[in-house]
Amino acid sequence: MDHREFQNLALERLEDARALLAAKRYAGAYYLAGYAIECALKACISGLTMQDDFPPKDAARYYVHDLAKLLESAGLGARLREEAASNERFEANWATAKDWTEEARYGARDQQQAEALLAAVGDPQHGVLQWLRKYW
């Protein structure tokens, strides 16, 4: 996948998560909201590495589903800490989003959990996806 495909996928997965939330499909909404952040981080990495396609399979550090590791691979750890230090709402949103894992696809989530993650990811002013879009 190339840089732009990851960008589009991140935005599509957020919309998918919103649709699932509206349909009261909370586990799917939660999973896809987190997956939107994973895709956004991979868009940042793809742009950073200047690869036409996402880095090759032997680049194991990029082929993870751990948001904190992807954040560091994207070179955004220090920037995130700076933003969090100056923006309490963003800090709270990251605190919610960072706990998402790939294993979320197997677990049950309730309405409150799904709404919280969607708000953290999709907040147009202080959301994690909005912040990541500055760097992709």
Side-chain angles (χ1 to χ4, degrees), residues 13-96:
R13 290 305 162 259
L14 180 59
E15 289 306 310
D16 292 344
R18 288 179 174 145
L20 287 170
L21 181 66
K24 299 182 181 186
R25 303 295 306 241
Y26 304 123
Y30 182 91
Y31 176 72
L32 287 180
Y35 191 56
I37 295 303
E38 180 180 325
C39 292
L41 284 164
K42 289 181 177 180
C44 293
I45 293 167
S46 181
L48 180 68
T49 61
M50 304 303 271
Q51 296 287 319
D52 291 331
D53 292 315
F54 193 65
K57 285 280 186 190
D58 63 336
R61 70 183 194 167
Y62 302 122
Y63 283 88
V64 297
H65 303 284
D66 182 307
L67 299 184
K69 287 180 182 177
L70 290 170
L71 181 78
E72 293 302 324
S73 292
L76 296 174
R79 287 183 175 153
L80 182 130
R81 289 185 289 278
E82 289 171 12
E83 182 71 20
S86 66
N87 182 336
E88 289 180 16
R89 287 181 61 193
F90 175 78
E91 180 181 33
N93 285 336
W94 174 249
T96 298

Side-chain angles (χ1 to χ4, degrees), residues 86-132:
S86 66
N87 182 336
E88 289 180 16
R89 287 181 61 193
F90 175 78
E91 180 181 33
N93 285 336
W94 174 249
T96 298
K98 72 173 178 54
D99 292 334
W100 176 89
T101 67
E102 175 189 21
E103 286 79 29
R105 66 185 172 198
Y106 301 115
R109 299 290 177 195
D110 62 25
Q111 181 177 357
Q112 183 180 4
Q113 291 169 309
E115 287 175 347
L117 186 55
L118 255 121
V121 171
D123 180 325
Q125 299 285 319
H126 306 282
V128 176
L129 184 58
Q130 185 66 23
W131 180 78
L132 286 170

